[in-house]
Amino acid sequence: MPLIGVARGIYLIGGPMLTHMLDANVYLVLSEKRRGIVIDSGTGLGFENMLRNILELGINPFKDIEYVILTHCHIDHAGGASALYYGLGVKTVAHEPDSLFIREGNPDKTLAKKLGLEFKPSPITVNLRKEYETLEVDEMVFEIIHTPGHTQGSVSVYFEIHGNKVLALGDTILSEEQNEDFHALKRSLSKILQYDFEIVLGGHDYISKNGRAFIEKFLMKLKVEQLS
């Protein structure tokens, strides 16, 4: 299946229906000058299909992609980082301690062992440690927010493009039992709800309208479940 345009300048280039059945969603965000970043990388098993989708957009993957931001260390999101780094020279970005697990290829923390896969270790070019950090590509500014809960080093990415306000959050809105720290998750959700956004780019789905309202409902559901 070919790539999917989510909104102007935002493309879904990887995922279970696009590249490999075990891949989480992979997004490409392009500036006015057609340079950009990738958010997450899939398992790496669908790398050739992902590369084909990038080329379909007329992008030179060797010079037009500046960064891949890894929302967390799980193999369906970060397993393709080594292919992007070694194959295309793309700078890798991740937050501690998940960045350590990606560099090591930790089979347990990356869930590779659980899925019966091999995690190929990848260097991390930009090792994040702060609660809030920013990256810039041309006119685009990406605010990277530390949002632990699903994993200790999970991040969300806020940016504006062509008038759209967007939040990419990996697996932050998965169910309670799929998170390492329930209380940290609630704090992280409250943190990202301080932002004004409409589009949500999730690890396994995306919401093109009313994304903020969806996260508000998800947080309320978590609070109700905790009380019950």
Side-chain angles (χ1 to χ4, degrees), residues 161-210:
I161 183 169
H162 300 301
N164 289 312
K165 298 178 180 181
V166 186
L167 184 75
L169 41 59
D171 283 352
T172 298
I173 53 174
L174 289 183
S175 59
E176 178 185 345
E177 62 270 14
Q178 293 172 292
N179 291 284
E180 290 183 357
D181 188 331
F182 177 72
H183 297 290
L185 174 64
K186 288 197 301 177
R187 291 192 295 270
S188 293
L189 290 171
S190 297
K191 186 189 301 183
I192 60 178
L193 285 172
Q194 297 175 27
Y195 292 80
D196 178 25
F197 55 89
E198 182 79 2
I199 298 173
V200 171
L201 306 178
H204 301 277
D205 202 356
Y206 64 87
I207 303 166
S208 56
K209 292 182 179 180
N210 301 319

Side-chain angles (χ1 to χ4, degrees), residues 101-115:
F101 304 143
I102 294 166
R103 289 197 304 267
E104 293 177 338
N106 187 300
D108 295 308
K109 291 293 187 179
T110 64
L111 301 187
K113 184 177 181 180
K114 181 178 180 180
L115 293 174

Side-chain angles (χ1 to χ4, degrees), residues 11 17 19 56 63 169 222 226 228:
Y11 302 90
M17 301 298 292
T19 48
E56 186 178 324
K63 68 176 186 178
L169 41 59
L222 289 182
Q226 185 183 24
S228 62

